Amino acid sequence: MGQQQLLMIVLALIIIAIAIAISISLFRSNAVDGKRDILIQETSAIGSLALQYFKKPKEFGGGGQSFQGFKIPVQMNQTVNGNFMTASIVDDKVEITGTGTEVVTGGDSIQVRTIVTADNMYTVIIN
């Protein structure tokens, strides 16, 4: 009877260890998804500023139907959630890349890119 009880205890410990490992993995996955969502919101906010710049006439400090001259505001270059140092202006669109502070795998950080055109804005998840 003692061996059977000992075997049951060992089996219970193994099941508990597996449950804890799965819980940690799920928690980490949810944390990464949450950080990614925040990063998408922040790049979209900067994208809205770029669109405002595009639509504002040059006389009022805007781009006058052009993204040329748009810069990310200094106070938005770096936040608690990530860095937004680059706003690449290509043709009639601007690409805002955000690199998060959360590391996903190995040394790779969360990274998203929001692309803004005159009549569209969408986000691509890089990592």
Side-chain angles (χ1 to χ4, degrees), residues 46-75:
I46 296 170
S48 294
L49 292 175
L51 198 54
Q52 287 175 3
Y53 178 84
F54 178 85
K55 292 183 176 184
K56 191 182 288 185
K58 287 186 179 185
E59 295 80 25
F60 296 119
Q65 301 299 311
S66 173
F67 289 111
Q68 295 299 324
F70 173 74
K71 291 185 170 80
I72 298 174
V74 177
Q75 66 270 23

Side-chain angles (χ1 to χ4, degrees), residues 9-127:
I9 290 173
V10 169
L11 184 61
L13 287 175
I14 291 172
I15 291 173
I16 290 171
I18 291 171
I20 289 172
I22 290 172
S23 298
I24 289 172
S25 174
L26 288 174
F27 180 79
R28 175 112 174 100
S29 174
N30 283 339
V32 167
D33 287 345
K35 288 278 191 172
R36 187 174 289 124
D37 289 343
I38 291 171
L39 204 61
I40 289 170
Q41 286 176 342
E42 290 181 350
T43 56
S44 295
I46 296 170
S48 294
L49 292 175
L51 198 54
Q52 287 175 3
Y53 178 84
F54 178 85
K55 292 183 176 184
K56 191 182 288 185
K58 287 186 179 185
E59 295 80 25
F60 296 119
Q65 301 299 311
S66 173
F67 289 111
Q68 295 299 324
F70 173 74
K71 291 185 170 80
I72 298 174
V74 177
Q75 66 270 23
M76 295 183 86
N77 275 345
Q78 187 171 7
T79 66
V80 175
N81 301 306
N83 299 317
F84 311 96
M85 298 298 213
T86 58
S88 306
I89 299 168
V90 181
D91 298 329
D92 290 341
K93 67 180 178 181
V94 62
E95 297 180 358
I96 301 149
T97 303
T99 304
T101 55
E102 186 79 23
V103 176
V104 180
T105 55
D108 294 337
S109 295
I110 296 171
Q111 199 170 32
V112 298
R113 179 174 295 133
T114 297
I115 299 162
V116 183
T117 62
D119 39 325
N120 198 4
M121 179 167 43
Y122 60 94
T123 302
V124 178
I125 296 172
I126 298 170
N127 194 9

